[in-house]
Amino acid sequence: MIIGYRVEYAWWKYPADKLAINKKYAKTHEKAKEIFQDIINKHFHKVRIVPIFNKRI
């Protein structure tokens, strides 16, 4: 069962020149897609939507 979504994106952190990963969370897939589009519009190219599953079966 999916309980939410995580939107992850990578960017170069200056001045250290290290790759940093930021995460944003959403309850619905529609909200996750809105966050995804907002990040893409800010010229971040490595973005993905990851579903968060309930570990209890």
Side-chain angles (χ1 to χ4, degrees):
M1 178 176 169
I2 297 175
I3 59 172
Y5 295 89
R6 180 175 65 234
V7 182
E8 299 177 342
Y9 59 100
W11 58 284
W12 285 102
K13 191 173 188 180
Y14 294 105
D17 287 336
K18 292 182 180 179
L19 188 64
I21 305 291
N22 279 5
K23 301 172 188 160
K24 294 189 178 192
Y25 296 92
K27 280 283 195 185
T28 64
H29 192 260
E30 290 78 22
K31 184 65 179 170
K33 287 193 294 188
E34 288 177 18
I35 294 170
F36 181 89
Q37 284 301 321
D38 186 45
I39 293 169
I40 288 290
N41 290 340
K42 292 180 182 176
H43 306 292
F44 290 99
H45 300 290
K46 302 295 181 189
V47 183
R48 69 179 181 169
I49 298 174
V50 181
I52 302 170
F53 293 97
N54 186 356
K55 297 201 189 255
R56 299 165 81 192
I57 295 177

